[in-house]
Amino acid sequence: MGPAKRFNKLLLSAFALLALLPAMAFAGSNIVRPIEKTFDLDGISRIVVYTQGGFINVTGETRSNGRVTIEQVFRNASNSEADYLEARIEKTMEKRGNALHIEFKINQSRRLWSFFSGKPSVQFNATIETTKEIDVELHTSGGPIEVATLNGHVQANTSGGRMKFRDIEGSIKWHTSRDPIEARNINGDVNLSTSVGLISVSSITGQTKLSTSGGGMHAHHMQCPVNGGGPILELKTSGRGIAIKYL
């Protein structure tokens, strides 16, 4: 290879490296801006949460107030791009009658693009610590949902994300468009559905309805008497198998 060809090859390599540097600088980097607020739950019997992407975790504890932490996670964004996005976030954390309403979403009427790093985006991760004696209604446009140790009714919906529920004294109704659902130690009626994903339940004492279009089912230690009346156990799947143990 002659000197001219070697020079041209080195020049092309240098240009390729320079083009990659901005993307490398932003790749995998997140800017997290948390918001934390404590609420007096006197007179509050229900918590309603809507988030545009991100996880929702709710834990019941022996306490009289509630603590809400929202992580605003800006992905592939510089500080100035995060500022731009944050200015367009619609934030709601307020009491409405007997309910505490929490809603975080981004106004997408204008979109922000970065030539080198791709499209900056934001998601909202919600962590809620509350009294055990409360109902919850949870919605996220994409992300996992986990609920534990509540003495109340639970309704949850996600467009995509794993769902896990345990130690609930009350009825539950959950749906995810994809990904698995796991529920254990539920003292109440259960209605679970997923378009794609495994449903695994154990130690359920109420009427149980499970439905999946493309996944299996595992049901263990179910308190559903056979041939003697009692809570209904209804299982539906369009694909894969159903395993029931220790009724």
Side-chain angles (χ1 to χ4, degrees):
M1 181 183 297
K5 288 185 177 181
R6 282 197 299 270
F7 176 78
N8 288 337
K9 187 175 180 180
L10 288 172
L11 189 61
L12 288 173
S13 299
F15 275 119
L17 181 60
L18 287 172
L20 285 174
L21 282 176
M24 290 170 63
F26 284 112
S29 62
N30 293 332
I31 296 174
V32 180
R33 297 178 179 177
I35 297 174
E36 186 173 307
K37 193 169 183 179
T38 300
F39 291 90
D40 180 3
L41 295 179
D42 185 33
I44 299 297
S45 61
R46 189 163 66 105
I47 296 176
V48 181
V49 181
Y50 290 88
T51 64
Q52 192 171 343
F55 66 72
I56 301 176
N57 290 348
V58 179
T59 305
E61 301 175 345
T62 304
R63 58 190 301 158
S64 59
N65 62 2
R67 182 166 60 193
V68 179
T69 302
I70 305 293
E71 289 184 341
Q72 302 172 113
V73 182
F74 301 91
R75 297 172 296 185
N76 300 320
S78 64
N79 278 309
S80 60
E81 289 169 333
D83 292 341
Y84 182 96
L85 288 173
E86 188 169 17
R88 284 150 182 79
I89 295 173
E90 298 178 13
K91 308 172 185 180
T92 302
M93 299 174 74
E94 64 184 19
K95 293 181 180 181
R96 297 178 185 172
N98 67 343
L100 173 61
H101 279 255
I102 301 163
E103 183 171 3
F104 277 72
K105 62 182 180 180
I106 183 84
N107 183 348
Q108 294 184 321
S109 59
R110 298 177 63 185
R111 296 179 179 272
L112 177 63
W113 291 81
S114 172
F115 178 79
F116 289 113
S117 62
K119 177 187 173 185
S121 62
V122 60
Q123 71 176 44
F124 309 102
N125 297 330
T127 301
I128 301 171
E129 300 162 87
T130 177
T131 176
K132 293 181 180 181
E133 311 295 331
I134 203 160
D135 301 335
V136 295
E137 181 182 337
L138 312 173
H139 305 268
T140 174
S141 60
I145 295 177
E146 295 191 20
V147 181
T149 58
L150 284 186
N151 299 336
H153 304 302
V154 179
Q155 181 178 341
N157 182 77
T158 176
S159 298
R162 184 183 185 92
M163 287 185 162
K164 296 180 69 175
F165 305 88
R166 64 175 177 85
D167 303 325
I168 307 295
E169 294 280 340
S171 64
I172 56 177
K173 184 177 182 180
W174 313 321
H175 173 76
T176 176
S177 298
R178 57 182 185 274
D179 296 309
I181 300 177
E182 178 185 338
R184 59 185 175 89
N185 195 22
I186 310 297
N187 186 16
D189 296 342
V190 172
N191 189 335
L192 310 179
S193 63
T194 175
S195 300
V196 180
L198 172 71
I199 296 180
S200 177
V201 297
S202 63
S203 301
I204 310 295
T205 60
Q207 295 188 16
T208 304
K209 296 183 179 181
L210 312 179
S211 175
T212 175
S213 299
M217 294 183 184
H218 296 162
H220 302 269
H221 299 92
M222 305 296 290
Q223 305 298 315
C224 304
V226 177
N227 294 329
I232 296 172
L233 175 60
E234 180 180 308
L235 310 178
K236 295 180 181 180
T237 178
S238 300
R240 302 193 180 182
I242 297 175
I244 305 174
K245 296 182 180 180
Y246 305 114
L247 284 172

PDB file of all heavy atoms in Angstrom, residues 128-165:
ATOM      1  N   ILE A 128     -43.882   4.677  45.772  1.00  0.00           N
ATOM      2  CA  ILE A 128     -44.880   5.191  46.718  1.00  0.00           C
ATOM      3  C   ILE A 128     -44.886   4.327  47.968  1.00  0.00           C
ATOM      4  O   ILE A 128     -45.051   3.109  47.892  1.00  0.00           O
ATOM      5  CB  ILE A 128     -46.286   5.204  46.075  1.00  0.00           C
ATOM      6  CG1 ILE A 128     -46.283   6.083  44.824  1.00  0.00           C
ATOM      7  CG2 ILE A 128     -47.331   5.679  47.080  1.00  0.00           C
ATOM      8  CD1 ILE A 128     -47.540   5.990  44.007  1.00  0.00           C
ATOM      9  N   GLU A 129     -44.678   4.973  49.102  1.00  0.00           N
ATOM     10  CA  GLU A 129     -44.787   4.320  50.405  1.00  0.00           C
ATOM     11  C   GLU A 129     -46.035   4.874  51.083  1.00  0.00           C
ATOM     12  O   GLU A 129     -46.168   6.087  51.244  1.00  0.00           O
ATOM     13  CB  GLU A 129     -43.543   4.597  51.247  1.00  0.00           C
ATOM     14  CG  GLU A 129     -42.258   4.093  50.594  1.00  0.00           C
ATOM     15  CD  GLU A 129     -41.022   4.737  51.184  1.00  0.00           C
ATOM     16  OE1 GLU A 129     -40.522   4.203  52.189  1.00  0.00           O
ATOM     17  OE2 GLU A 129     -40.596   5.778  50.637  1.00  0.00           O
ATOM     18  N   THR A 130     -46.951   3.995  51.477  1.00  0.00           N
ATOM     19  CA  THR A 130     -48.246   4.447  51.952  1.00  0.00           C
ATOM     20  C   THR A 130     -48.718   3.588  53.115  1.00  0.00           C
ATOM     21  O   THR A 130     -48.130   2.545  53.424  1.00  0.00           O
ATOM     22  CB  THR A 130     -49.278   4.371  50.805  1.00  0.00           C
ATOM     23  OG1 THR A 130     -50.562   4.754  51.292  1.00  0.00           O
ATOM     24  CG2 THR A 130     -49.382   2.962  50.240  1.00  0.00           C
ATOM     25  N   THR A 131     -49.809   4.030  53.753  1.00  0.00           N
ATOM     26  CA  THR A 131     -50.445   3.187  54.739  1.00  0.00           C
ATOM     27  C   THR A 131     -50.986   1.931  54.062  1.00  0.00           C
ATOM     28  O   THR A 131     -51.296   1.948  52.864  1.00  0.00           O
ATOM     29  CB  THR A 131     -51.599   3.947  55.426  1.00  0.00           C
ATOM     30  OG1 THR A 131     -52.258   3.083  56.324  1.00  0.00           O
ATOM     31  CG2 THR A 131     -52.613   4.441  54.400  1.00  0.00           C
ATOM     32  N   LYS A 132     -51.121   0.857  54.794  1.00  0.00           N
ATOM     33  CA  LYS A 132     -51.606  -0.395  54.209  1.00  0.00           C
ATOM     34  C   LYS A 132     -53.085  -0.316  53.833  1.00  0.00           C
ATOM     35  O   LYS A 132     -53.532  -0.964  52.883  1.00  0.00           O
ATOM     36  CB  LYS A 132     -51.393  -1.555  55.178  1.00  0.00           C
ATOM     37  CG  LYS A 132     -49.935  -1.911  55.442  1.00  0.00           C
ATOM     38  CD  LYS A 132     -49.840  -3.092  56.390  1.00  0.00           C
ATOM     39  CE  LYS A 132     -48.390  -3.460  56.648  1.00  0.00           C
ATOM     40  NZ  LYS A 132     -48.278  -4.630  57.567  1.00  0.00           N
ATOM     41  N   GLU A 133     -53.860   0.473  54.590  1.00  0.00           N
ATOM     42  CA  GLU A 133     -55.310   0.499  54.413  1.00  0.00           C
ATOM     43  C   GLU A 133     -55.692   1.490  53.323  1.00  0.00           C
ATOM     44  O   GLU A 133     -56.178   2.595  53.596  1.00  0.00           O
ATOM     45  CB  GLU A 133     -55.991   0.888  55.740  1.00  0.00           C
ATOM     46  CG  GLU A 133     -55.516   0.112  56.946  1.00  0.00           C
ATOM     47  CD  GLU A 133     -55.861  -1.369  56.863  1.00  0.00           C
ATOM     48  OE1 GLU A 133     -56.887  -1.708  56.225  1.00  0.00           O
ATOM     49  OE2 GLU A 133     -55.109  -2.174  57.436  1.00  0.00           O
ATOM     50  N   ILE A 134     -55.499   1.088  52.072  1.00  0.00           N
ATOM     51  CA  ILE A 134     -55.783   2.019  50.975  1.00  0.00           C
ATOM     52  C   ILE A 134     -55.964   1.244  49.675  1.00  0.00           C
ATOM     53  O   ILE A 134     -55.387   0.161  49.490  1.00  0.00           O
ATOM     54  CB  ILE A 134     -54.651   3.069  50.844  1.00  0.00           C
ATOM     55  CG1 ILE A 134     -55.160   4.329  50.151  1.00  0.00           C
ATOM     56  CG2 ILE A 134     -53.435   2.480  50.123  1.00  0.00           C
ATOM     57  CD1 ILE A 134     -54.300   5.542  50.398  1.00  0.00           C
ATOM     58  N   ASP A 135     -56.799   1.787  48.766  1.00  0.00           N
ATOM     59  CA  ASP A 135     -56.960   1.240  47.415  1.00  0.00           C
ATOM     60  C   ASP A 135     -56.005   1.970  46.469  1.00  0.00           C
ATOM     61  O   ASP A 135     -55.703   3.152  46.678  1.00  0.00           O
ATOM     62  CB  ASP A 135     -58.394   1.429  46.911  1.00  0.00           C
ATOM     63  CG  ASP A 135     -59.430   0.752  47.798  1.00  0.00           C
ATOM     64  OD1 ASP A 135     -59.071  -0.217  48.493  1.00  0.00           O
ATOM     65  OD2 ASP A 135     -60.593   1.199  47.792  1.00  0.00           O
ATOM     66  N   VAL A 136     -55.558   1.271  45.421  1.00  0.00           N
ATOM     67  CA  VAL A 136     -54.675   1.910  44.443  1.00  0.00           C
ATOM     68  C   VAL A 136     -55.145   1.607  43.030  1.00  0.00           C
ATOM     69  O   VAL A 136     -55.642   0.521  42.732  1.00  0.00           O
ATOM     70  CB  VAL A 136     -53.200   1.482  44.619  1.00  0.00           C
ATOM     71  CG1 VAL A 136     -52.641   1.953  45.945  1.00  0.00           C
ATOM     72  CG2 VAL A 136     -53.032  -0.016  44.464  1.00  0.00           C
ATOM     73  N   GLU A 137     -54.956   2.597  42.171  1.00  0.00           N
ATOM     74  CA  GLU A 137     -55.232   2.472  40.733  1.00  0.00           C
ATOM     75  C   GLU A 137     -53.998   2.972  39.998  1.00  0.00           C
ATOM     76  O   GLU A 137     -53.639   4.147  40.098  1.00  0.00           O
ATOM     77  CB  GLU A 137     -56.466   3.296  40.344  1.00  0.00           C
ATOM     78  CG  GLU A 137     -56.827   3.207  38.877  1.00  0.00           C
ATOM     79  CD  GLU A 137     -58.021   4.075  38.521  1.00  0.00           C
ATOM     80  OE1 GLU A 137     -58.822   4.397  39.428  1.00  0.00           O
ATOM     81  OE2 GLU A 137     -58.146   4.456  37.337  1.00  0.00           O
ATOM     82  N   LEU A 138     -53.343   2.077  39.250  1.00  0.00           N
ATOM     83  CA  LEU A 138     -52.023   2.375  38.692  1.00  0.00           C
ATOM     84  C   LEU A 138     -52.035   2.187  37.176  1.00  0.00           C
ATOM     85  O   LEU A 138     -52.493   1.155  36.675  1.00  0.00           O
ATOM     86  CB  LEU A 138     -50.966   1.455  39.318  1.00  0.00           C
ATOM     87  CG  LEU A 138     -51.002   1.333  40.849  1.00  0.00           C
ATOM     88  CD1 LEU A 138     -50.023   0.266  41.312  1.00  0.00           C
ATOM     89  CD2 LEU A 138     -50.708   2.672  41.507  1.00  0.00           C
ATOM     90  N   HIS A 139     -51.480   3.175  36.461  1.00  0.00           N
ATOM     91  CA  HIS A 139     -51.408   3.111  35.003  1.00  0.00           C
ATOM     92  C   HIS A 139     -50.045   3.630  34.556  1.00  0.00           C
ATOM     93  O   HIS A 139     -49.619   4.713  34.979  1.00  0.00           O
ATOM     94  CB  HIS A 139     -52.490   3.972  34.353  1.00  0.00           C
ATOM     95  CG  HIS A 139     -53.879   3.657  34.791  1.00  0.00           C
ATOM     96  ND1 HIS A 139     -54.682   2.754  34.132  1.00  0.00           N
ATOM     97  CD2 HIS A 139     -54.614   4.124  35.837  1.00  0.00           C
ATOM     98  CE1 HIS A 139     -55.860   2.682  34.743  1.00  0.00           C
ATOM     99  NE2 HIS A 139     -55.840   3.501  35.787  1.00  0.00           N
ATOM    100  N   THR A 140     -49.369   2.890  33.686  1.00  0.00           N
ATOM    101  CA  THR A 140     -48.152   3.375  33.049  1.00  0.00           C
ATOM    102  C   THR A 140     -48.182   2.955  31.585  1.00  0.00           C
ATOM    103  O   THR A 140     -48.648   1.858  31.254  1.00  0.00           O
ATOM    104  CB  THR A 140     -46.871   2.853  33.725  1.00  0.00           C
ATOM    105  OG1 THR A 140     -45.730   3.268  32.943  1.00  0.00           O
ATOM    106  CG2 THR A 140     -46.864   1.346  33.846  1.00  0.00           C
ATOM    107  N   SER A 141     -47.710   3.834  30.707  1.00  0.00           N
ATOM    108  CA  SER A 141     -47.734   3.522  29.282  1.00  0.00           C
ATOM    109  C   SER A 141     -46.657   2.520  28.898  1.00  0.00           C
ATOM    110  O   SER A 141     -46.653   2.024  27.777  1.00  0.00           O
ATOM    111  CB  SER A 141     -47.573   4.805  28.461  1.00  0.00           C
ATOM    112  OG  SER A 141     -46.344   5.439  28.757  1.00  0.00           O
ATOM    113  N   GLY A 142     -45.765   2.190  29.813  1.00  0.00           N
ATOM    114  CA  GLY A 142     -44.761   1.180  29.522  1.00  0.00           C
ATOM    115  C   GLY A 142     -43.759   1.061  30.644  1.00  0.00           C
ATOM    116  O   GLY A 142     -42.974   1.971  30.872  1.00  0.00           O
ATOM    117  N   GLY A 143     -43.812  -0.064  31.373  1.00  0.00           N
ATOM    118  CA  GLY A 143     -42.893  -0.271  32.482  1.00  0.00           C
ATOM    119  C   GLY A 143     -43.485  -1.251  33.481  1.00  0.00           C
ATOM    120  O   GLY A 143     -44.699  -1.476  33.499  1.00  0.00           O
ATOM    121  N   PRO A 144     -42.656  -1.828  34.325  1.00  0.00           N
ATOM    122  CA  PRO A 144     -43.142  -2.797  35.310  1.00  0.00           C
ATOM    123  C   PRO A 144     -43.924  -2.146  36.439  1.00  0.00           C
ATOM    124  O   PRO A 144     -43.745  -0.963  36.726  1.00  0.00           O
ATOM    125  CB  PRO A 144     -41.854  -3.442  35.830  1.00  0.00           C
ATOM    126  CG  PRO A 144     -40.800  -2.415  35.608  1.00  0.00           C
ATOM    127  CD  PRO A 144     -41.194  -1.671  34.363  1.00  0.00           C
ATOM    128  N   ILE A 145     -44.789  -2.932  37.078  1.00  0.00           N
ATOM    129  CA  ILE A 145     -45.560  -2.488  38.235  1.00  0.00           C
ATOM    130  C   ILE A 145     -45.409  -3.527  39.343  1.00  0.00           C
ATOM    131  O   ILE A 145     -45.555  -4.723  39.096  1.00  0.00           O
ATOM    132  CB  ILE A 145     -47.053  -2.311  37.891  1.00  0.00           C
ATOM    133  CG1 ILE A 145     -47.243  -1.189  36.867  1.00  0.00           C
ATOM    134  CG2 ILE A 145     -47.866  -2.020  39.146  1.00  0.00           C
ATOM    135  CD1 ILE A 145     -48.691  -0.998  36.426  1.00  0.00           C
ATOM    136  N   GLU A 146     -45.122  -3.054  40.556  1.00  0.00           N
ATOM    137  CA  GLU A 146     -45.025  -3.934  41.719  1.00  0.00           C
ATOM    138  C   GLU A 146     -45.838  -3.341  42.868  1.00  0.00           C
ATOM    139  O   GLU A 146     -45.735  -2.149  43.141  1.00  0.00           O
ATOM    140  CB  GLU A 146     -43.570  -4.135  42.149  1.00  0.00           C
ATOM    141  CG  GLU A 146     -42.720  -4.870  41.126  1.00  0.00           C
ATOM    142  CD  GLU A 146     -41.368  -5.297  41.686  1.00  0.00           C
ATOM    143  OE1 GLU A 146     -41.240  -5.365  42.937  1.00  0.00           O
ATOM    144  OE2 GLU A 146     -40.456  -5.539  40.886  1.00  0.00           O
ATOM    145  N   VAL A 147     -46.626  -4.199  43.520  1.00  0.00           N
ATOM    146  CA  VAL A 147     -47.432  -3.775  44.671  1.00  0.00           C
ATOM    147  C   VAL A 147     -47.262  -4.810  45.767  1.00  0.00           C
ATOM    148  O   VAL A 147     -47.338  -6.019  45.502  1.00  0.00           O
ATOM    149  CB  VAL A 147     -48.922  -3.644  44.303  1.00  0.00           C
ATOM    150  CG1 VAL A 147     -49.729  -3.177  45.508  1.00  0.00           C
ATOM    151  CG2 VAL A 147     -49.114  -2.691  43.127  1.00  0.00           C
ATOM    152  N   ALA A 148     -47.059  -4.346  47.019  1.00  0.00           N
ATOM    153  CA  ALA A 148     -46.846  -5.282  48.126  1.00  0.00           C
ATOM    154  C   ALA A 148     -47.488  -4.759  49.403  1.00  0.00           C
ATOM    155  O   ALA A 148     -47.517  -3.547  49.648  1.00  0.00           O
ATOM    156  CB  ALA A 148     -45.349  -5.515  48.349  1.00  0.00           C
ATOM    157  N   THR A 149     -47.984  -5.692  50.197  1.00  0.00           N
ATOM    158  CA  THR A 149     -48.483  -5.478  51.567  1.00  0.00           C
ATOM    159  C   THR A 149     -49.521  -4.359  51.657  1.00  0.00           C
ATOM    160  O   THR A 149     -49.339  -3.373  52.370  1.00  0.00           O
ATOM    161  CB  THR A 149     -47.325  -5.210  52.557  1.00  0.00           C
ATOM    162  OG1 THR A 149     -46.579  -4.066  52.133  1.00  0.00           O
ATOM    163  CG2 THR A 149     -46.397  -6.406  52.627  1.00  0.00           C
ATOM    164  N   LEU A 150     -50.623  -4.548  50.935  1.00  0.00           N
ATOM    165  CA  LEU A 150     -51.735  -3.608  51.008  1.00  0.00           C
ATOM    166  C   LEU A 150     -52.989  -4.324  51.485  1.00  0.00           C
ATOM    167  O   LEU A 150     -53.223  -5.476  51.148  1.00  0.00           O
ATOM    168  CB  LEU A 150     -52.017  -2.980  49.639  1.00  0.00           C
ATOM    169  CG  LEU A 150     -51.091  -1.887  49.115  1.00  0.00           C
ATOM    170  CD1 LEU A 150     -51.661  -1.329  47.815  1.00  0.00           C
ATOM    171  CD2 LEU A 150     -50.897  -0.778  50.129  1.00  0.00           C
ATOM    172  N   ASN A 151     -53.829  -3.601  52.240  1.00  0.00           N
ATOM    173  CA  ASN A 151     -55.146  -4.095  52.624  1.00  0.00           C
ATOM    174  C   ASN A 151     -56.185  -3.269  51.876  1.00  0.00           C
ATOM    175  O   ASN A 151     -56.887  -2.433  52.451  1.00  0.00           O
ATOM    176  CB  ASN A 151     -55.354  -3.967  54.139  1.00  0.00           C
ATOM    177  CG  ASN A 151     -54.348  -4.779  54.930  1.00  0.00           C
ATOM    178  OD1 ASN A 151     -53.795  -5.750  54.436  1.00  0.00           O
ATOM    179  ND2 ASN A 151     -54.110  -4.371  56.165  1.00  0.00           N
ATOM    180  N   GLY A 152     -56.262  -3.469  50.584  1.00  0.00           N
ATOM    181  CA  GLY A 152     -57.176  -2.691  49.760  1.00  0.00           C
ATOM    182  C   GLY A 152     -57.254  -3.270  48.363  1.00  0.00           C
ATOM    183  O   GLY A 152     -56.545  -4.220  48.018  1.00  0.00           O
ATOM    184  N   HIS A 153     -58.124  -2.688  47.550  1.00  0.00           N
ATOM    185  CA  HIS A 153     -58.304  -3.149  46.175  1.00  0.00           C
ATOM    186  C   HIS A 153     -57.204  -2.569  45.281  1.00  0.00           C
ATOM    187  O   HIS A 153     -56.795  -1.416  45.452  1.00  0.00           O
ATOM    188  CB  HIS A 153     -59.677  -2.747  45.659  1.00  0.00           C
ATOM    189  CG  HIS A 153     -60.808  -3.233  46.507  1.00  0.00           C
ATOM    190  ND1 HIS A 153     -61.018  -4.565  46.781  1.00  0.00           N
ATOM    191  CD2 HIS A 153     -61.786  -2.559  47.164  1.00  0.00           C
ATOM    192  CE1 HIS A 153     -62.073  -4.702  47.565  1.00  0.00           C
ATOM    193  NE2 HIS A 153     -62.550  -3.500  47.821  1.00  0.00           N
ATOM    194  N   VAL A 154     -56.768  -3.367  44.313  1.00  0.00           N
ATOM    195  CA  VAL A 154     -55.682  -2.960  43.422  1.00  0.00           C
ATOM    196  C   VAL A 154     -56.140  -3.097  41.972  1.00  0.00           C
ATOM    197  O   VAL A 154     -56.622  -4.158  41.566  1.00  0.00           O
ATOM    198  CB  VAL A 154     -54.417  -3.809  43.643  1.00  0.00           C
ATOM    199  CG1 VAL A 154     -53.307  -3.372  42.686  1.00  0.00           C
ATOM    200  CG2 VAL A 154     -53.943  -3.721  45.081  1.00  0.00           C
ATOM    201  N   GLN A 155     -55.991  -2.025  41.217  1.00  0.00           N
ATOM    202  CA  GLN A 155     -56.225  -2.058  39.780  1.00  0.00           C
ATOM    203  C   GLN A 155     -54.967  -1.529  39.101  1.00  0.00           C
ATOM    204  O   GLN A 155     -54.463  -0.467  39.463  1.00  0.00           O
ATOM    205  CB  GLN A 155     -57.432  -1.197  39.393  1.00  0.00           C
ATOM    206  CG  GLN A 155     -57.743  -1.201  37.903  1.00  0.00           C
ATOM    207  CD  GLN A 155     -58.974  -0.369  37.565  1.00  0.00           C
ATOM    208  OE1 GLN A 155     -59.793  -0.086  38.434  1.00  0.00           O
ATOM    209  NE2 GLN A 155     -59.098   0.031  36.310  1.00  0.00           N
ATOM    210  N   ALA A 156     -54.460  -2.284  38.117  1.00  0.00           N
ATOM    211  CA  ALA A 156     -53.202  -1.883  37.496  1.00  0.00           C
ATOM    212  C   ALA A 156     -53.225  -2.193  36.003  1.00  0.00           C
ATOM    213  O   ALA A 156     -53.807  -3.199  35.579  1.00  0.00           O
ATOM    214  CB  ALA A 156     -52.022  -2.596  38.161  1.00  0.00           C
ATOM    215  N   ASN A 157     -52.568  -1.343  35.226  1.00  0.00           N
ATOM    216  CA  ASN A 157     -52.525  -1.521  33.780  1.00  0.00           C
ATOM    217  C   ASN A 157     -51.210  -0.960  33.241  1.00  0.00           C
ATOM    218  O   ASN A 157     -50.792   0.135  33.609  1.00  0.00           O
ATOM    219  CB  ASN A 157     -53.702  -0.804  33.114  1.00  0.00           C
ATOM    220  CG  ASN A 157     -53.728  -1.015  31.615  1.00  0.00           C
ATOM    221  OD1 ASN A 157     -54.115  -2.066  31.133  1.00  0.00           O
ATOM    222  ND2 ASN A 157     -53.307  -0.015  30.861  1.00  0.00           N
ATOM    223  N   THR A 158     -50.563  -1.730  32.373  1.00  0.00           N
ATOM    224  CA  THR A 158     -49.351  -1.263  31.707  1.00  0.00           C
ATOM    225  C   THR A 158     -49.355  -1.764  30.270  1.00  0.00           C
ATOM    226  O   THR A 158     -49.829  -2.873  29.990  1.00  0.00           O
ATOM    227  CB  THR A 158     -48.068  -1.731  32.415  1.00  0.00           C
ATOM    228  OG1 THR A 158     -46.919  -1.309  31.632  1.00  0.00           O
ATOM    229  CG2 THR A 158     -48.022  -3.231  32.592  1.00  0.00           C
ATOM    230  N   SER A 159     -48.848  -0.939  29.363  1.00  0.00           N
ATOM    231  CA  SER A 159     -48.768  -1.351  27.959  1.00  0.00           C
ATOM    232  C   SER A 159     -47.647  -2.345  27.734  1.00  0.00           C
ATOM    233  O   SER A 159     -47.624  -3.030  26.712  1.00  0.00           O
ATOM    234  CB  SER A 159     -48.558  -0.118  27.065  1.00  0.00           C
ATOM    235  OG  SER A 159     -49.643   0.764  27.180  1.00  0.00           O
ATOM    236  N   GLY A 160     -46.726  -2.445  28.664  1.00  0.00           N
ATOM    237  CA  GLY A 160     -45.642  -3.405  28.533  1.00  0.00           C
ATOM    238  C   GLY A 160     -44.734  -3.364  29.737  1.00  0.00           C
ATOM    239  O   GLY A 160     -44.147  -2.339  30.033  1.00  0.00           O
ATOM    240  N   GLY A 161     -44.683  -4.466  30.462  1.00  0.00           N
ATOM    241  CA  GLY A 161     -43.839  -4.519  31.641  1.00  0.00           C
ATOM    242  C   GLY A 161     -44.298  -5.609  32.592  1.00  0.00           C
ATOM    243  O   GLY A 161     -45.487  -5.936  32.661  1.00  0.00           O
ATOM    244  N   ARG A 162     -43.358  -6.168  33.312  1.00  0.00           N
ATOM    245  CA  ARG A 162     -43.654  -7.232  34.256  1.00  0.00           C
ATOM    246  C   ARG A 162     -44.497  -6.699  35.419  1.00  0.00           C
ATOM    247  O   ARG A 162     -44.314  -5.566  35.864  1.00  0.00           O
ATOM    248  CB  ARG A 162     -42.348  -7.818  34.794  1.00  0.00           C
ATOM    249  CG  ARG A 162     -42.530  -9.005  35.733  1.00  0.00           C
ATOM    250  CD  ARG A 162     -41.184  -9.468  36.274  1.00  0.00           C
ATOM    251  NE  ARG A 162     -41.340 -10.675  37.066  1.00  0.00           N
ATOM    252  CZ  ARG A 162     -41.233 -11.897  36.591  1.00  0.00           C
ATOM    253  NH1 ARG A 162     -40.971 -12.075  35.313  1.00  0.00           N
ATOM    254  NH2 ARG A 162     -41.386 -12.954  37.372  1.00  0.00           N
ATOM    255  N   MET A 163     -45.412  -7.533  35.903  1.00  0.00           N
ATOM    256  CA  MET A 163     -46.227  -7.176  37.067  1.00  0.00           C
ATOM    257  C   MET A 163     -45.983  -8.183  38.179  1.00  0.00           C
ATOM    258  O   MET A 163     -46.012  -9.401  37.948  1.00  0.00           O
ATOM    259  CB  MET A 163     -47.712  -7.162  36.700  1.00  0.00           C
ATOM    260  CG  MET A 163     -48.145  -5.986  35.853  1.00  0.00           C
ATOM    261  SD  MET A 163     -49.947  -6.022  35.606  1.00  0.00           S
ATOM    262  CE  MET A 163     -50.251  -4.341  35.107  1.00  0.00           C
ATOM    263  N   LYS A 164     -45.767  -7.662  39.395  1.00  0.00           N
ATOM    264  CA  LYS A 164     -45.570  -8.525  40.569  1.00  0.00           C
ATOM    265  C   LYS A 164     -46.407  -7.988  41.720  1.00  0.00           C
ATOM    266  O   LYS A 164     -46.351  -6.799  42.027  1.00  0.00           O
ATOM    267  CB  LYS A 164     -44.089  -8.567  40.957  1.00  0.00           C
ATOM    268  CG  LYS A 164     -43.180  -9.183  39.904  1.00  0.00           C
ATOM    269  CD  LYS A 164     -41.729  -9.206  40.355  1.00  0.00           C
ATOM    270  CE  LYS A 164     -41.508 -10.172  41.491  1.00  0.00           C
ATOM    271  NZ  LYS A 164     -40.073 -10.286  41.850  1.00  0.00           N
ATOM    272  N   PHE A 165     -47.160  -8.889  42.358  1.00  0.00           N
ATOM    273  CA  PHE A 165     -48.027  -8.499  43.458  1.00  0.00           C
ATOM    274  C   PHE A 165     -47.931  -9.548  44.558  1.00  0.00           C
ATOM    275  O   PHE A 165     -47.953 -10.747  44.278  1.00  0.00           O
ATOM    276  CB  PHE A 165     -49.482  -8.381  42.978  1.00  0.00           C
ATOM    277  CG  PHE A 165     -49.642  -7.446  41.808  1.00  0.00           C
ATOM    278  CD1 PHE A 165     -49.512  -7.907  40.518  1.00  0.00           C
ATOM    279  CD2 PHE A 165     -49.901  -6.113  42.018  1.00  0.00           C
ATOM    280  CE1 PHE A 165     -49.638  -7.053  39.443  1.00  0.00           C
ATOM    281  CE2 PHE A 165     -50.038  -5.240  40.947  1.00  0.00           C
ATOM    282  CZ  PHE A 165     -49.907  -5.716  39.651  1.00  0.00           C
TER     283      PHE A 165
END
